[in-house]
Amino acid sequence: MIHLTRPSPTLKEVAARCGVSTATVSRVINRDRRISEETSKRVLQAVEDLGYSPNPFARGLKTNKSRTIGFIVPEFTNDFFMRIARGIESRLRQDGYTLVICNANENRNDEAARLDLLLDQGVDGVIVIPSSSRGAHLRAADARHVPLVLVDRVVEDYQTDAILVDNINGTYHAVEAALAKGHKRIGFIGGNMDLTSARERLAGYTRALEDYHIPFQDEYVFFGDFHQDSGYELMGQLLALAHPPECVFLSNVFMHLGAAKYLLEHQQAKRRVPELIGFDEMDFSSSLGFCTIMVRQPIEEIGKIAAETILDRIRGNHHPSRIQRLKTEIVQFDRKNK
Amino acid sequence: MIHLTRPSPTLKEVAARCGVSTATVSRVINRDRRISEETSKRVLQAVEDLGYSPNPFARGLKTNKSRTIGFIVPEFTNDFFMRIARGIESRLRQDGYTLVICNANENRNDEAARLDLLLDQGVDGVIVIPSSSRGAHLRAADARHVPLVLVDRVVEDYQTDAILVDNINGTYHAVEAALAKGHKRIGFIGGNMDLTSARERLAGYTRALEDYHIPFQDEYVFFGDFHQDSGYELMGQLLALAHPPECVFLSNVFMHLGAAKYLLEHQQAKRRVPELIGFDEMDFSSSLGFCTIMVRQPIEEIGKIAAETILDRIRGNHHPSRIQRLKTEIVQFDRKNK
DNA sequence: ATTTTTCATGCCATCGATTGCACAATTTTC
DNA sequence: GAAAATTGTGCAATCGATGGCATGAAAAAT
């Protein structure tokens, strides 16, 4: 096989082509303003002509920067995580950064391994949606002076920047709205209690009940794992109670999906179907009339802010670590079909 | 702020620590077997002690390899694509490669831009799920001698390795199974006809009708865009016909979701609900009794094979480009609840 | 006992871009 | 009009790892 194309041109060739030194070309490319307008133009023309683009390895070697950010998610096949990824990526792109997404398979070991890999690859910063509430292994980033920000959840044993939503108030307002509709018996299906987001949502629920003087009833509260099957399962358990709740809060969209599926499969004319409320859009559930109240998170915004936070750190801002809480919004649906 | 940690150790420091040259250390790290067992051990111990890991930039500069593969998907928030990503990533990890995933936003321009970015970043190979049937811009990879493999779809104007499923036979067998169940009127909701996968699925449908001497009826065939809304919409149109089909083939899982949603919302006791058949698992639809026949693709396997194909190319195999077609499997469900 | 081969390791040029320093040319200041 | 400041550019060291070539020692062949 004959290669008709030459290897990528280097700085030297660009320099030779327009009779300046490599230093000058480098400066033009890096927008060093000391270079005269005129030479600048000549150099850029040569860059264009040769189709030059800087060798990322050589550049990285000198600058120790890769213009690359790592993003560790618990799981690839999760719409919520990937929408955050989209938010991050589109913001980073504006600044010429590339995002490297890794899958932690929802376990701490893989998370640690991915982080090490990313650090070894020379990323300039790391964004993590932690898979558990432990985060000591994340200090590896500090050791290399690579900034790290958490998204959606925080960890106990490691303090750093974090972008979260206001889970407590989000849940509070949803439950409050359900109470306002006259519901007295409100069930709660929680997520993996190892995760701060799950714990905060429970806190919002209990606080709302307290404030409205509704007794907290153990039998109305179940804990799943944020996956669809647990929503299905636990909805069944709630409906099997002597006095099933009139309304059930689902802590995330996957459990909501499971719950909705349970309701569909077990719909009986005589029995009253509980309303479903919970975090995130469940288009299916709402158009079926199950979902009446949802807590909407600004998902892409979370990603955007995470990206901006990490860029800020990379650019050397050394203010103390900060937790940013984004507001949620309550959306109500009519209960059609019922 | 005082940094208590030192910068990462270099080869030189490791070499100094155990009294050998940097070349020796480098050889140990790269498993050059010329080095004696004994020195090897000493060096590895020092590597361990210092927590040394090679500078990726320096290494890349010399070797022109990054141990990084790019993956361009049309859209992040698509379970099918991300399952392929998972398959790719877990296979690449075995060989110590990292995957960089990019979002083409379902358009050719972004796809081209992402590819350029990846090439500029020095990836060793690129895997692409093309967003359209045109692929001339993908030649940019050839120009830099970076291997590129396509997944799920091929493009017209650029020939390279591709991993696909047998869309024609998959569809054929699904339709055949529906005919075997006694259905005569089988509708078809196709995807974006610009994509080869969509065209092949149509071909499987028409071929099955032909083989079984069922006249092809234009009014039973609609084309959507692989998104949920189009499935919803087109299912409505099919049901509005004077003689609606008894069975409808959905060309992907999102349109299937939309169709199922339409059925749920418009269920009427008097009207017979058509069976849904189509590509990929639609857990919801099947447990509701809508979905009776599905074409299962080996999704993670597609990713695995794509990864192996690109690794093979990176290792210098220059055989002519090849298209690998994976077999699909027909899964049938009972029609419960009806 | 030489000569040849094999083995283990070291020396150092190299990859391509960046950047501190030097220096010449030009402009500004007094 | 001389000194000082500014501007534009080049020189060359540098980042850290790799690998061709050289070398000396040990093993094998004659």
Side-chain angles (χ1 to χ4, degrees), chain A residues 68-79:
Chain A
T68 284
I69 305 291
F71 182 36
I72 303 178
V73 296
E75 178 55 70
F76 275 171
T77 58
N78 179 309
D79 203 64

Side-chain angles (χ1 to χ4, degrees), chain B residues 22 36 66 91 104 106 112 135 142 175 201 211 232 235 264 268 276 290 302 307 313 317 324:
Chain B
T22 61
S36 72
S66 62
R91 180 60 187 81
E106 286 180 333
D142 281 1
V175 174
R201 289 170 196 186
D211 284 3
Y232 183 92
M235 178 55 75
L264 274 174
Q268 291 166 19
L276 301 184
F290 293 148
I302 295 171
R313 286 288 181 192
N317 271 324
Q324 298 176 67

Side-chain angles (χ1 to χ4, degrees), chain B residues 60-80:
Chain B
L61 182 56
K62 268 308 272 190
T63 63
N64 217 20
K65 291 268 163 294
S66 62
R67 302 189 75 74
T68 284
I69 305 291
F71 182 35
I72 304 178
V73 295
E75 179 54 74
F76 274 172
T77 57
N78 178 310
D79 203 64
F80 174 72

Side-chain angles (χ1 to χ4, degrees), chain B residues 203-217:
Chain B
Y205 167 78
T206 56
R207 186 184 297 174
L209 294 189
E210 261 173 43
D211 284 3
Y212 288 87
H213 311 294
I214 309 283
F216 176 95
Q217 289 186 263

Side-chain angles (χ1 to χ4, degrees), chain B residues 2-299:
Chain B
I2 300 160
H3 288 157
L4 297 171
T5 52
R6 283 154 294 102
S8 305
T10 69
L11 260 198
K12 209 191 278 189
E13 300 174 45
V14 177
R17 193 172 215 271
C18 47
V20 296
S21 72
T22 61
T24 301
V25 178
S26 169
R27 287 180 185 124
V28 170
I29 287 169
N30 293 298
R31 296 210 181 69
D32 186 322
R33 57 190 155 43
R34 289 177 307 179
I35 302 297
S36 72
E37 190 64 27
E38 193 196 0
T39 15
S40 231
K41 222 171 247 168
R42 268 202 354 268
V43 169
L44 290 174
Q45 183 61 48
V47 165
E48 179 77 16
D49 293 350
L50 294 172
Y52 168 81
S53 77
N55 181 312
F57 305 119
R59 176 178 268 183
L61 182 56
K62 268 308 272 190
T63 63
N64 217 20
K65 291 268 163 294
S66 62
R67 302 189 75 74
T68 284
I69 305 291
F71 182 35
I72 304 178
V73 295
E75 179 54 74
F76 274 172
T77 57
N78 178 310
D79 203 64
F80 174 72
F81 299 151
M82 292 314 290
R83 282 175 67 188
I84 291 180
R86 200 164 56 190
I88 295 174
E89 207 253 8
S90 73
R91 180 60 187 81
L92 289 183
R93 189 158 69 232
Q94 291 173 21
D95 284 48
Y97 279 75
T98 302
L99 188 65
V100 181
I101 309 177
C102 294
N103 186 342
N105 289 312
E106 286 180 333
N107 79 74
R108 187 156 57 238
N109 288 343
D110 278 22
E111 183 176 294
R114 289 306 145 274
L115 177 61
D116 287 344
L117 191 70
L118 288 171
L119 295 173
D120 283 350
Q121 293 252 348
V123 294
D124 296 345
V126 185
I127 301 173
V128 180
I129 299 181
S131 287
S132 71
S133 62
R134 304 279 329 275
H137 55 288
L138 301 178
R139 291 170 207 271
D142 281 1
R144 307 240 209 149
H145 310 306
V146 172
L148 184 150
V149 329
L150 299 178
V151 170
D152 190 48
R153 309 157 180 176
V154 288
V155 292
E156 285 156 10
D157 40 9
Y158 174 65
Q159 211 192 343
T160 187
D161 293 328
I163 322 297
L164 311 171
V165 297
D166 187 344
N167 288 300
I168 296 184
N169 283 313
T171 307
Y172 183 98
H173 291 130
V175 174
E176 186 176 46
L179 292 170
K181 288 180 86 173
H183 294 306
K184 296 276 180 277
R185 300 195 304 277
I186 301 183
F188 181 88
I189 296 184
N192 178 351
M193 280 294 135
D194 183 39
L195 303 175
T196 52
S197 53
R199 292 204 293 266
E200 290 167 354
R201 289 170 196 186
L202 176 62
Y205 167 78
T206 56
R207 186 184 297 174
L209 294 189
E210 261 173 43
D211 284 3
Y212 288 87
H213 311 294
I214 309 283
F216 176 95
Q217 289 186 263
D218 251 352
E219 58 180 13
Y220 284 167
V221 176
F222 286 91
F223 299 107
D225 60 5
F226 278 143
H227 291 292
Q228 179 175 339
D229 289 349
S230 68
Y232 183 92
E233 187 64 35
L234 298 176
M235 178 55 75
Q237 298 196 25
L238 276 171
L239 288 190
L241 294 174
H243 294 284
E246 307 143 319
C247 174
V248 178
F249 181 92
L250 281 307
S251 288
N252 84 343
V253 74
F254 298 108
M255 294 195 304
H256 192 148
L257 193 66
K261 186 173 152 192
Y262 186 90
L263 293 184
L264 274 174
E265 291 182 10
H266 299 80
Q267 242 168 350
Q268 291 166 19
K270 53 196 169 200
R271 194 154 62 180
R272 190 152 163 227
V273 175
E275 292 187 23
L276 301 184
I277 69 177
F279 259 73
D280 293 330
E281 202 113 19
M282 237 307 279
D283 156 60
F284 227 96
S285 178
S286 55
S287 72
L288 286 172
F290 293 148
C291 177
T292 55
I293 300 166
M294 64 162 279
V295 184
R296 178 181 291 155
Q297 319 184 55
I299 306 185

Side-chain angles (χ1 to χ4, degrees), chain A residues 31-234:
Chain A
R31 298 213 179 67
D32 186 322
R33 56 189 156 41
R34 289 176 305 177
I35 302 296
S36 71
E37 190 65 26
E38 194 197 358
T39 16
S40 231
K41 222 171 249 168
R42 265 199 0 266
V43 169
L44 290 174
Q45 183 61 50
V47 165
E48 178 77 16
D49 292 349
L50 294 172
Y52 169 81
S53 77
N55 180 312
F57 305 119
R59 175 179 269 181
L61 182 56
K62 266 310 270 191
T63 63
N64 218 20
K65 292 267 163 294
S66 62
R67 302 189 77 73
T68 284
I69 305 291
F71 182 36
I72 303 178
V73 296
E75 178 55 70
F76 275 171
T77 58
N78 179 309
D79 203 64
F80 174 72
F81 298 151
M82 292 312 291
R83 282 176 67 187
I84 291 181
R86 199 164 56 191
I88 295 173
E89 207 254 9
S90 75
R91 180 62 186 80
L92 288 183
R93 191 158 66 231
Q94 290 174 22
D95 284 48
Y97 279 76
T98 302
L99 188 65
V100 180
I101 309 177
C102 295
N103 185 341
N105 289 313
E106 285 182 332
N107 81 74
R108 187 155 57 237
N109 288 341
D110 279 21
E111 183 175 294
R114 290 303 146 274
L115 177 60
D116 286 343
L117 191 70
L118 287 170
L119 295 173
D120 283 350
Q121 293 252 346
V123 295
D124 296 345
V126 185
I127 301 174
V128 180
I129 299 182
S131 287
S132 70
S133 62
R134 305 278 328 276
H137 56 288
L138 301 177
R139 290 170 208 273
D142 281 2
R144 307 241 209 148
H145 311 306
V146 172
L148 184 150
V149 330
L150 298 177
V151 170
D152 189 49
R153 310 157 178 173
V154 287
V155 292
E156 285 156 10
D157 40 9
Y158 174 65
Q159 212 190 344
T160 187
D161 293 329
I163 323 297
L164 311 171
V165 297
D166 188 343
N167 289 301
I168 296 183
N169 283 314
T171 308
Y172 184 99
H173 290 129
V175 174
E176 188 176 46
L179 292 169
K181 288 180 86 174
H183 294 306
K184 296 276 180 280
R185 301 194 304 276
I186 300 183
F188 181 87
I189 296 184
N192 178 353
M193 280 294 135
D194 183 41
L195 302 176
T196 52
S197 53
R199 292 203 291 266
E200 289 167 357
R201 288 169 198 186
L202 176 62
Y205 168 78
T206 56
R207 187 186 297 175
L209 294 189
E210 263 173 40
D211 284 3
Y212 287 88
H213 310 296
I214 307 285
F216 176 95
Q217 289 186 263
D218 252 350
E219 58 181 13
Y220 284 167
V221 176
F222 286 90
F223 300 106
D225 60 5
F226 278 142
H227 291 292
Q228 179 175 338
D229 288 349
S230 68
Y232 183 92
E233 188 65 34
L234 299 176

Side-chain angles (χ1 to χ4, degrees), chain A residues 221-287:
Chain A
V221 176
F222 286 90
F223 300 106
D225 60 5
F226 278 142
H227 291 292
Q228 179 175 338
D229 288 349
S230 68
Y232 183 92
E233 188 65 34
L234 299 176
M235 177 55 74
Q237 299 196 23
L238 276 170
L239 288 191
L241 293 174
H243 294 284
E246 308 142 318
C247 173
V248 179
F249 181 92
L250 280 307
S251 289
N252 85 342
V253 74
F254 298 108
M255 294 195 302
H256 191 149
L257 193 65
K261 186 173 152 193
Y262 186 91
L263 294 184
L264 274 175
E265 292 182 9
H266 299 80
Q267 242 168 349
Q268 292 165 17
K270 53 199 171 203
R271 194 153 64 178
R272 192 157 160 219
V273 175
E275 292 188 23
L276 301 184
I277 69 178
F279 259 73
D280 293 329
E281 201 111 21
M282 237 308 280
D283 156 58
F284 228 96
S285 177
S286 56
S287 71

